[in-house]
Amino acid sequence: MGDTTHHIIGLSGGKDSTATLLLARDRLPKNSIQPVFVDTGNEHPATYAYLDYLERQLSIQVTHLKPDFTADMADKRRYIAQDRRTGRDKRGVKLRWSNRRKREALAELHPTGNPFLDLCLTKGMFPTNRRRFCTDFLKTRVFVGFVDDLVQSRKKVIIWQGIRRDESDKRKNAKLFERVGPGFYYFRPLIHWSEKDVFQCIADHGLNPNPLYQSVGRVGCAPCIYSNKKDLRALFQSEHGPATLDKIRDWEQRVARASKTGKAVFFQGKQLAGAHLGEVHPLVFYQRHSIDAIQHWASKPTRFVGEDWDNFEFEQESVCSSEWGLCE
Ligand code: SF4
């Protein structure tokens, strides 16, 4: 690792990427490391505050990257405006946007400056487990583009990844050091660590972990499509609850106007409506999944014999995680 090596640490504000940053700070000159945070525009306020805290405590500067969907939105506007398709899809729905839906969508499709909202407006829907475009468009592509620019211009780039082998089957064979391409490497200093080791490392450096571990229990979007009932209850009952509710209510209305069906909800898991969209009347589905209905549902702990709804995920994966350390 010579002087010209540039060390990038993908920082989410979560424990693993924080511990990785601390190790890099311990081992390397300050001017050779660059912590990078990719801002979805839907982060929990505590995470922004925690990044400020890390900057102050470690005397470092975190690079904030923000995706921009202005061009994609312009493409979508053109596509809708020029839609002249004929025929129907396999469910019998007309392919062409109705004139009313076109008018509403074209009025709504203007960049807001919030990446999460702009992406959902452009897609005409919120991400789901089946179409989880958020991590890819809001985190991975932005980070990869940033790294690629560096690789083109620098002699050697090392990405420090805070992943651990005990996290999942997918990661159980993760290598400590890996060559990705000419002058481009991954370094994974935590692969043999446990979760306890990670928290211990943060404590040993005289720092606190992100306070979200004591409340909502996860670091990432607020809310995240993978939030479970308990996470949502903690989020809505926190000081940020009313603002979060207002934000998502507003987003649901705007994304609905930008969609071909005129309907959109943030949480689309089947559990509340008792069926997938298409298995119950759309009015029932969207009413039961609106953010106000979700908030009401989350406010009451419910347990049925043999089922633990508090920990049940809306979607079928338990976490949003990124090998780059961008999500946790
Ligand atoms: S934290 Fe959740 S909502 Fe945010 S990008 Fe990851 S999966 Fe998507």
Side-chain angles (χ1 to χ4, degrees), residues 189-242:
L190 308 187
I191 54 167
H192 300 298
W193 287 29
S194 65
E195 191 178 54
K196 196 172 157 206
D197 297 332
V198 171
F199 281 116
Q200 191 60 51
C201 167
I202 296 171
D204 289 346
H205 282 80
L207 295 175
N208 300 316
N210 190 320
L212 288 176
Y213 288 111
Q214 285 159 7
S215 53
V216 295
R218 68 171 77 199
V219 174
C221 288
C224 165
I225 58 165
Y226 292 121
S227 303
N228 60 33
K229 188 172 185 180
K230 210 163 57 178
D231 299 335
L232 287 175
R233 190 181 316 132
L235 176 61
F236 288 129
Q237 288 177 355
S238 74
E239 58 175 317
H240 304 292

Side-chain angles (χ1 to χ4, degrees), residues 40 42 116 127 132 134-135 138-139 220-221 223-226 320 327:
T40 63
N42 189 28
F116 199 105
R132 194 183 105 184
C134 46
T135 315
L138 293 166
K139 293 273 186 184
C221 288
C224 165
I225 58 165
Y226 292 121
C320 165
C327 288

Side-chain angles (χ1 to χ4, degrees), residues 20-152:
T20 306
L21 171 62
L22 296 175
L23 293 183
R25 277 281 282 123
D26 288 348
R27 298 178 190 181
L28 297 165
K30 202 161 81 176
N31 62 3
S32 71
I33 66 171
Q34 185 174 19
V36 175
F37 172 73
V38 186
D39 187 355
T40 63
N42 189 28
E43 308 292 332
H44 195 290
T47 295
Y48 295 115
Y50 188 67
L51 294 172
D52 291 345
Y53 164 80
L54 288 179
E55 283 189 326
R56 280 195 312 276
Q57 294 294 319
L58 301 174
S59 305
I60 50 159
Q61 199 170 356
V62 177
T63 302
H64 288 240
L65 303 178
K66 212 169 178 181
D68 179 12
F69 299 102
T70 305
D72 306 76
M73 216 179 258
D75 287 346
K76 183 71 181 278
R77 286 176 57 80
R78 264 192 299 279
Y79 173 79
I80 293 173
Q82 293 169 5
D83 184 18
R84 303 270 186 278
R85 289 173 297 169
T86 55
R88 295 172 183 270
D89 66 17
K90 58 185 177 195
R91 284 171 297 149
V93 179
K94 276 187 184 170
L95 292 173
R96 185 175 166 174
W97 284 59
S98 72
N99 288 339
R100 181 175 168 211
R101 297 268 23 93
K102 276 189 179 185
R103 275 196 305 277
E104 284 200 6
L106 292 175
E108 195 61 56
L109 279 167
H110 295 284
T112 66
N114 183 298
F116 199 105
L117 175 57
D118 286 353
L119 175 63
C120 296
L121 288 172
T122 306
K123 296 277 183 189
M125 65 179 290
F126 290 95
T128 65
N129 193 40
R130 281 190 185 173
R131 293 190 61 196
R132 194 183 105 184
F133 49 77
C134 46
T135 315
D136 184 25
F137 282 85
L138 293 166
K139 293 273 186 184
T140 312
R141 291 184 189 210
V142 189
F143 187 72
V144 170
F146 173 79
V147 171
D148 191 48
D149 286 348
L150 278 174
V151 171
Q152 302 300 329

